[in-house]
Amino acid sequence: MYAKYRLPPILLVVCRDKKTAEWARDPIRIGRSFHTSMEVFPLVLGPIGVRPITDPEEAAKDLALTTFSILINAKDPGILAILDAVAPVLGPNADWAEYIEAGLDEGPSRDHWR
């Protein structure tokens, strides 16, 4: 990206698991044990850095962000309450509702959303 467009690349890691998000935050060191040639600091978006959106007014302001927040926090123990809070805003919007359904794991949260 940098060579072709002169845009600085960013390593983006998106995950739902808190343990994985913590692990992914560690810098990646490239080089030999006696010399680091490069360090990469990933930008991690996961349940630690992306809070659940539960306010319908806030959800209505940015449907894409709300959907992303739901999918990132899909393993939160309170996911059913999160879904209930935003359902009046996202449920009637077929496109966003479908993204949420597809992004939820098989099980109680997907069944609840349906």
Side-chain angles (χ1 to χ4, degrees), residues 70 78-88 100 104 108-110 112-113:
I70 289 170
I79 187 62
L80 299 184
I82 294 168
L83 293 172
D84 286 343
V86 299
I100 291 169
L104 292 171
S109 58
R110 183 182 282 175
H112 186 77
W113 181 249

Side-chain angles (χ1 to χ4, degrees), residues 1-107:
M1 282 187 55
Y2 183 77
K4 187 171 183 175
Y5 301 108
R6 295 290 181 221
L7 296 172
I10 295 175
L11 174 58
L12 176 63
V13 178
V14 179
C15 56
R16 296 181 183 184
D17 183 78
K18 287 181 182 180
K19 190 173 181 177
T20 303
E22 289 171 5
W23 168 82
R25 282 196 167 97
D26 289 342
I28 301 166
R29 290 174 177 82
I30 299 171
R32 305 289 292 169
S33 60
F34 59 88
H35 177 72
T36 299
S37 298
M38 179 172 56
E39 281 186 302
V40 177
F41 297 88
L43 173 59
V44 179
L45 297 178
I48 295 170
V50 179
R51 67 174 178 76
I53 295 174
T54 57
D55 176 30
E57 287 183 26
E58 183 182 358
K61 291 177 185 175
D62 193 335
L63 299 181
L65 178 62
T66 302
T67 300
F68 184 72
S69 170
I70 289 170
L71 298 179
I72 287 293
N73 291 285
K75 292 186 177 184
D76 187 295
I79 187 62
L80 299 184
I82 294 168
L83 293 172
D84 286 343
V86 299
V89 176
L90 289 172
N93 188 310
D95 291 335
W96 294 114
E98 191 173 320
Y99 286 132
I100 291 169
E101 182 178 341
L104 292 171
D105 293 333
E106 280 293 331

